[in-house]
Amino acid sequence: MSRKQPQEQLSEAEQKYRTLVEQIPGVVYVSPINDTTKEAYISPQLQQLLGIAPEDWNFGFFNSWLDYTHPDDRDRVWQAVNTTIATGEPFSVEYRMIRRDGRIIWVRDQANLVLGIDGETQVLQGLVFDISDRKQAEAALQDSEARSRAILEDQTELIARGLPDGTFTFVNEAYCRFFGLERDKIIGQHYEPVVFEEDRERVFSLVNSISLENPVITLENRVVACQGVRWTQWIVRGIFDDQGAIVELQSVGRDITDRKLVEQALSENEQKFRAIFNQTIQFMGLLQPNGIVLEINQTALDFAGINREEVVGRPFWEVKWWRISSQTQEQLKTAIAAAANGESIRYEVDIVGRDGEAIAIDFSLRPILDRTGHITLLISEGRDITEYKVALQKRHKAEEALRSSQDFLQKVANTVPHILYLFDLLQGTSIYLNQKSVAILGYSPEEFCNADPQWLMNRFHPDDRYLCHNLPTRFVNLKDNEVFSTEYRFRHKNGEWRWLHTREVVFARDTNGTPTQILGSVEDISTRKQAEVMLRQQAEGERLISEVTQQIRQSLNLDEVLNTTVNSIRQCLGSDSVAIYQLESDGSGNFAAESVGDDYPQRLELTMHPFSLKQDFSDYYQGLPKVFHDIQESDFSADVFELLQLYQVKAAVIVPILNEEHLWGLLIAHQRNAPRYWQAFEVNLLQQLASQVAIAIHQSVLYQQVQAANEELQRLATLDGLTQIANRRRFDEYLEAEWQRLKREQLSLSLILLDVDFFKLYNDTYGHLGGDDCLRQLASALKNIVKRPADLVARYGGEEFAVILPNTEIQGAIYVAQTIGQAIRDLAIPHAQSRVCDRVTVSLGVVSIVPNSEISPSDLINAADKALYVAKQQGRDRVHAVCVVIPS
């Protein structure tokens, strides 16, 4: 056999292997774990999984793969890979990945650590499957289980059974206690009285919708309980006989008033604080003064490995974090009570983390007051200080070891990141320093040890030189192992001032116990000090954002919001002018708001702003600001410079205001006295406030739309859908209002009730569509007759209509009724089955009264109904009138 034949067979086998691999419904990969990539391979299914062609894949496998791994899962995946490499155990992880098109998918990654073909290279051989469908099914199953648990919990609450007409046949004790009623006073009664009046129509409609196709309904409504009006949630199930008719209604309810209050408070506060919550790395929460959780940020939820539903609406001390001990929970209750009384609380405490381990946090509670000075909210904050405390403990141990052995100090001194030194208190000079003095301060250990006390004092900042006076007395009362800490500024050899943090302990004493030598460590904290300054500036900015955001949320007046924003920004930044310039679609614009200093010329009358000239708006559309520290160094055209001269601008920051994709306008801060170097936090502050302005703009637009929709809904709610005249609800409201008005004025009120004669026969003859058309014609005729602004025509129910005639005595009402009867006859609507006429006719009952306290509107309706009954008894197609007189 020639050498070529084995090679061909090998190639053919390899091709068969690859063909087999490419049929697997997942991505097969081989990745070395060292620097070589000779054996790297990934199957073509990568295109289907991530939308990436294998030839475009970067075979630096781990980094490339992690780039497409969801950021929240990268650490977990990398840790699992390292575990497999270290132990040789199989690798099996489920995690999320981000496809090239941006879609997030779930995958299962299974791999084994094996030797490569060369017998030396370790590689991961693995297979990655798309398990997104399974994950969705699991989520759906969890939702189903949650609903099942909710149903089981409901069975222990308010239980009632009744007939299809709403009459109670059974209620449990919880139901009786909740409504403050005895069982025998409930059984046999209708459920209507316990339903809050404004919710009754909706409740009746939902209950009446129960059928074989819709056997169970869930509704939330207000009820009149023994504690007043309460919110309840009900699950109502219909029980049917063999013919499908409802024979019983079973209801399970619970009191959800507290949840409704929490939801309302959450809705009011969520928008106020959402931006701040999402920008902090601390654990933050919002509490009611009684400790009920209104909101918690994602950082805190992720820290404990819980979801929002496990926290919101529950007492704070019952959350998983605080269950480490009853003492911790009692301490928290005491802290909440103190904060609710106006105290700001801060302490360190151990709580439970994601994996059940104890975590130390720096915890604080601060009360939030409304304008009247009442405490409405508590803000909780927590910061994980576990690593800090661990580091502190390690540092203490190191210092104890240093104090016990000079030899040990010599060996390790040059390995620590700080300056270590021994100082002689009697001579006022250093005995020893490690080599870190060069890196931190630029001076060699020899320069320090050979220097006299005056040289050392001159290196201290003038404001901190008091620390060099009477050094021995500072340590006289210092106990063994007690650390003395100081912070001060020290001049670097290059002339710069550095902030240093020194920690010192007594290293040696004389026979009288007086300290003679000090062991100390020096840390360069300049960066931390700069960060503290920056944090203070950012805190001031966040306070401003919070105040402006609160004011924005409290007002739907856009002009008020814009003026509040520019005034607050100018005061915070100390700038000469802050303006909001609104752009129009045609390229023009105008000032929507401006805040200027007393000596700054106000230019609101100018309609063109120099920074609104459309030379390059691409940055604005991307939400990017433009920052000009010195206008003279900027490349502006002559006409722009001319406009800037009018505004006396030396420096400026321009931030776009984007309302969704639309560039609504610009937020502009000016400095006119001199150039100004704008800090990053100042620009960031303007960007955040521009986002709040955009929210206010969107909020204002939505408010206007909601107002218009509410007006239309109010109109529709009072009209009858078939006849387009007033419905029964409007009739009841108007009759009550006119009754009260005319009772005060002691004037007459008349009511006409009319009914279509033999309308059932009409429907049987001409069909329901014909009946509907007949009712529409009658309604139109009524509207043409009853035209006074104060009069009201309404469809009272079915084929029955009503006319309310304020300021009308009986004779006038009779005349209107007779006119109506004749007008309907004149319509000449055929009615072959009528027993009084061959066309449609009506019977009318008329009643008139001067309203008083002896009777009610329902009495007036009953009187009109009786009059209508008499008209029918007397032969129909006629008017019967009654004048109600109250005896004195």
Side-chain angles (χ1 to χ4, degrees):
M1 181 182 295
S2 66
R3 179 180 302 175
K4 184 176 181 181
Q5 288 177 323
Q7 291 177 343
E8 291 176 347
Q9 293 175 351
L10 180 61
S11 176
E12 182 179 354
E14 181 179 359
Q15 182 61 37
K16 289 180 179 179
Y17 170 77
R18 287 182 176 270
T19 300
L20 178 62
V21 166
E22 291 172 4
Q23 299 304 313
I24 296 174
V27 176
V28 177
Y29 64 87
V30 177
S31 177
I33 64 172
N34 52 20
D35 293 334
T36 179
T37 59
K38 294 178 181 179
E39 294 185 40
Y41 168 78
I42 194 160
S43 65
Q45 286 87 334
L46 181 68
Q47 177 74 45
Q48 181 179 359
L49 184 71
L50 296 180
I52 304 170
E55 57 268 20
D56 296 333
W57 184 256
N58 180 359
F59 280 94
F61 182 79
F62 290 119
N63 290 334
S64 298
W65 194 262
L66 286 176
D67 289 342
Y68 288 91
T69 300
H70 193 284
D72 293 344
D73 296 341
R74 288 175 185 167
D75 289 344
R76 181 166 57 84
V77 173
W78 186 244
Q79 183 178 358
V81 170
N82 287 334
T83 300
T84 296
I85 294 172
T87 65
E89 296 177 357
F91 173 81
S92 180
V93 180
E94 292 181 2
Y95 55 91
R96 291 163 291 179
M97 300 195 73
I98 303 174
R99 287 173 47 87
R100 176 166 285 179
D101 59 9
R103 184 164 61 89
I104 297 175
I105 63 172
W106 273 93
V107 301
R108 181 175 181 84
D109 192 344
Q110 295 177 304
N112 288 294
L113 185 66
V114 299
L115 290 177
I117 297 174
D118 57 10
E120 297 179 1
T121 305
Q122 283 189 313
V123 299
L124 275 178
Q125 290 183 351
L127 181 61
V128 180
F129 289 97
D130 186 340
I131 61 170
S132 301
D133 291 342
R134 195 201 81 198
K135 283 292 185 178
Q136 292 174 357
E138 289 175 353
L141 179 60
Q142 291 174 355
D143 290 342
S144 175
E145 291 175 350
R147 288 192 294 271
S148 298
R149 286 195 301 271
I151 293 173
L152 290 175
E153 293 171 358
D154 287 338
Q155 303 310 308
T156 63
E157 299 182 2
L158 311 179
I159 301 176
R161 295 198 304 269
L163 299 176
D165 64 359
T167 302
F168 287 110
T169 59
F170 169 80
V171 292
N172 67 350
E173 283 297 329
Y175 191 101
C176 297
R177 289 194 301 272
F178 182 73
F179 287 100
L181 299 172
E182 296 179 5
R183 192 190 304 269
D184 57 358
K185 293 183 178 180
I186 300 176
I187 304 301
Q189 302 299 315
H190 197 276
Y191 67 83
E192 177 182 4
V194 301
V195 181
F196 190 72
E197 184 176 356
E198 295 180 5
D199 294 350
R200 287 175 184 171
E201 184 175 351
R202 176 173 59 86
V203 171
F204 295 164
S205 175
L206 287 171
V207 173
N208 291 336
S209 71
I210 295 176
S211 64
L212 279 174
E213 294 76 18
N214 182 35
V216 180
I217 64 168
T218 300
L219 66 154
E220 294 182 0
N221 63 277
R222 290 163 291 182
V223 299
V224 182
C226 63
Q227 298 180 2
V229 177
R230 306 287 290 180
W231 272 97
T232 55
Q233 182 186 71
W234 298 91
I235 298 174
V236 185
R237 179 183 299 275
I239 305 301
F240 303 88
D241 61 16
D242 295 339
Q243 285 73 40
I246 298 179
V247 296
E248 186 180 49
L249 294 174
Q250 295 184 354
S251 303
V252 178
R254 60 176 178 173
D255 186 353
I256 60 170
T257 306
D258 291 340
R259 194 200 79 193
K260 284 288 187 179
L261 293 175
V262 171
E263 288 174 351
Q264 179 182 359
L266 177 61
S267 175
E268 294 172 352
N269 287 282
E270 183 176 16
Q271 294 301 321
K272 297 179 183 179
F273 299 102
R274 181 63 58 191
I276 297 175
F277 268 35
N278 291 337
Q279 293 168 6
T280 180
I281 61 173
Q282 293 179 277
F283 318 139
M284 294 188 67
L286 290 179
L287 316 177
Q288 289 181 339
N290 62 0
I292 299 298
V293 180
L294 296 177
E295 180 58 293
I296 208 79
N297 70 349
Q298 195 61 41
T299 304
L301 295 174
D302 292 343
F303 171 77
I306 57 179
N307 56 47
R308 182 170 275 99
E309 288 71 22
E310 295 177 83
V311 180
V312 174
R314 297 181 57 187
F316 195 34
W317 52 85
E318 292 183 4
V319 179
K320 173 183 176 182
W321 306 306
W322 305 97
R323 295 178 185 168
I324 191 170
S325 70
S326 58
Q327 182 180 1
T328 299
Q329 292 179 313
E330 291 301 321
Q331 184 182 22
L332 177 60
K333 291 180 184 178
T334 302
I336 290 174
N341 287 326
E343 296 182 31
S344 291
I345 307 299
R346 182 175 181 180
Y347 62 94
E348 291 182 12
V349 63
D350 288 342
I351 63 174
V352 179
R354 174 186 291 271
D355 298 321
E357 76 281 10
I359 303 295
I361 65 166
D362 180 7
F363 176 73
S364 65
L365 281 169
R366 291 185 293 110
I368 300 299
L369 283 66
D370 61 16
R371 293 181 176 178
T372 64
H374 293 90
I375 296 174
T376 58
L377 292 172
L378 303 179
I379 294 182
S380 68
E381 293 180 86
R383 180 171 56 90
D384 187 351
I385 59 172
T386 305
E387 293 182 0
Y388 167 78
K389 297 196 74 173
V390 170
L392 192 62
Q393 292 172 357
K394 291 180 179 178
R395 191 167 176 178
H396 281 311
K397 291 179 180 179
E399 289 171 352
E400 291 172 2
L402 286 173
R403 191 167 57 246
S404 65
S405 173
Q406 181 77 33
D407 181 60
F408 179 76
L409 174 64
Q410 183 63 37
K411 291 179 180 178
V412 301
N414 292 327
T415 64
V416 298
H418 305 149
I419 298 175
L420 294 180
Y421 64 89
L422 278 175
F423 189 83
D424 190 310
L425 290 173
L426 302 179
Q427 300 296 325
T429 58
S430 298
I431 301 173
Y432 166 82
L433 284 90
N434 64 354
Q435 292 298 322
K436 288 296 179 180
S437 64
V438 178
I440 294 178
L441 294 175
Y443 298 104
S444 67
E446 292 73 23
E447 288 179 280
F448 273 107
C449 292
N450 295 330
D452 57 46
Q454 188 60 43
W455 178 90
L456 183 63
M457 181 181 294
N458 291 338
R459 306 279 85 72
F460 278 72
H461 190 278
D463 294 341
D464 299 331
R465 288 177 185 167
Y466 70 93
L467 296 172
C468 301
H469 301 154
N470 300 320
L471 275 178
T473 59
R474 188 191 310 169
F475 300 98
V476 167
N477 297 321
L478 200 66
K479 300 176 182 178
D480 287 344
N481 302 325
E482 185 178 355
V483 179
F484 187 83
S485 297
T486 52
E487 293 182 359
Y488 54 91
R489 286 153 291 184
F490 197 90
R491 188 185 298 278
H492 191 279
K493 196 169 186 177
N494 62 13
E496 296 178 357
W497 289 109
R498 298 289 179 87
W499 272 98
L500 303 180
H501 177 213
T502 297
R503 295 170 55 84
E504 297 170 309
V505 296
V506 175
F507 186 75
R509 300 177 185 271
D510 61 16
T511 56
N512 296 323
T514 302
T516 58
Q517 292 181 351
I518 295 299
L519 172 64
S521 65
V522 178
E523 178 186 3
D524 187 348
I525 59 170
S526 303
T527 302
R528 191 194 81 191
K529 285 291 185 179
Q530 293 171 358
E532 289 175 353
V533 173
M534 185 64 69
L535 285 174
R536 285 195 295 270
Q537 293 172 335
Q538 290 176 349
E540 178 63 20
E542 290 174 357
R543 182 195 61 78
L544 172 63
I545 292 172
S546 178
E547 291 180 357
V548 172
T549 301
Q550 184 176 10
Q551 293 173 350
I552 286 175
R553 297 298 182 268
Q554 292 174 348
S555 174
L556 293 172
N557 186 321
L558 185 58
D559 291 337
E560 178 182 330
V561 169
L562 298 182
N563 283 296
T564 296
T565 301
V566 295
N567 287 327
S568 299
I569 293 174
R570 188 174 68 81
Q571 293 175 7
C572 179
L573 299 185
S575 55
D576 294 321
S577 170
V578 176
I580 292 178
Y581 191 81
Q582 183 177 358
L583 295 169
E584 303 295 344
S585 58
D586 61 359
S588 63
N590 57 80
F591 283 100
E594 185 179 36
S595 176
V596 298
D598 295 337
D599 57 345
Y600 191 82
Q602 197 161 346
R603 301 285 183 179
L604 286 173
E605 67 275 8
L606 295 181
T607 58
M608 178 59 68
H609 192 275
F611 293 120
S612 69
L613 297 177
K614 290 193 173 181
Q615 295 176 330
D616 182 8
F617 266 33
S618 60
D619 286 347
Y620 291 152
Y621 282 111
Q622 297 177 36
L624 301 176
K626 290 189 177 181
V627 182
F628 301 97
H629 304 296
D630 188 348
I631 295 298
Q632 296 297 324
E633 297 179 358
S634 302
D635 185 17
F636 287 120
S637 61
D639 56 343
V640 175
F641 265 117
E642 183 177 352
L643 280 172
L644 292 172
Q645 292 287 335
L646 290 175
Y647 284 84
Q648 301 180 19
V649 176
K650 297 294 190 302
V653 176
I654 308 97
V655 174
I657 301 173
L658 294 174
N659 185 11
E660 296 181 343
E661 300 296 328
H662 171 63
L663 179 60
W664 184 88
L666 305 172
L667 175 59
I668 308 167
H670 289 161
Q671 201 71 21
R672 77 181 186 94
N673 293 326
R676 172 173 176 171
Y677 185 82
W678 302 94
Q679 300 295 322
F681 85 92
E682 295 175 321
V683 178
N684 183 57
L685 172 65
L686 289 172
Q687 288 180 293
Q688 294 186 61
L689 289 171
S691 298
Q692 294 300 320
V693 170
I695 293 172
I697 294 167
H698 187 63
Q699 176 178 282
S700 178
V701 172
L702 289 179
Y703 176 72
Q704 295 172 5
Q705 294 173 348
V706 169
Q707 288 291 92
N710 285 340
E711 292 175 1
E712 177 63 15
L713 287 174
Q714 181 62 29
R715 185 186 72 82
L716 294 175
T718 58
L719 286 182
D720 177 63
L722 175 65
T723 62
Q724 295 300 300
I725 62 176
N727 60 14
R728 176 65 181 273
R729 176 182 176 182
R730 176 58 179 156
F731 169 83
D732 291 338
E733 293 174 349
Y734 192 70
L735 179 60
E736 177 66 27
E738 288 301 297
W739 180 276
Q740 298 299 331
R741 181 178 70 83
L742 295 173
K743 184 171 73 171
R744 292 192 301 271
E745 299 176 4
Q746 283 298 287
L747 296 175
S748 295
L749 173 63
S750 294
L751 174 64
I752 301 173
L753 286 182
L754 59 136
D755 195 19
V756 181
D757 294 330
F758 301 109
F759 188 70
K760 183 178 184 304
L761 295 175
Y762 187 93
N763 270 341
D764 293 343
T765 304
Y766 301 100
H768 289 287
L769 292 180
D772 289 346
D773 185 60
C774 174
L775 294 177
R776 281 192 288 266
Q777 293 185 60
L778 265 61
S780 178
L782 289 172
K783 287 194 292 185
N784 290 333
I785 294 169
V786 183
K787 295 182 178 180
R788 292 193 309 176
D791 297 341
L792 179 72
V793 177
R795 185 182 180 190
Y796 191 72
E799 69 275 18
E800 195 170 4
F801 295 87
V803 180
I804 299 175
L805 301 171
N807 302 323
T808 304
E809 297 181 350
I810 188 65
Q811 293 304 320
I814 293 172
Y815 173 77
V816 173
Q818 292 172 340
T819 303
I820 290 172
Q822 185 59 47
I824 292 175
R825 284 191 292 273
D826 292 344
L827 291 175
I829 302 172
H831 192 348
Q833 299 300 320
S834 174
R835 298 173 183 174
V836 296
C837 186
D838 61 352
R839 63 186 68 180
V840 171
T841 60
V842 294
S843 299
L844 302 98
V846 183
V847 65
S848 182
I849 192 173
V850 175
N852 57 75
S853 301
E854 300 297 325
I855 60 174
S856 67
S858 62
D859 296 323
L860 181 65
I861 295 172
N862 291 334
D865 193 53
K866 291 177 180 178
L868 174 60
Y869 177 77
V870 172
K872 290 181 178 181
Q873 290 294 104
Q874 292 177 352
R876 291 186 169 85
D877 188 21
R878 66 191 63 230
V879 176
H880 183 78
V882 176
C883 183
V884 180
V885 178
I886 304 302
S888 58

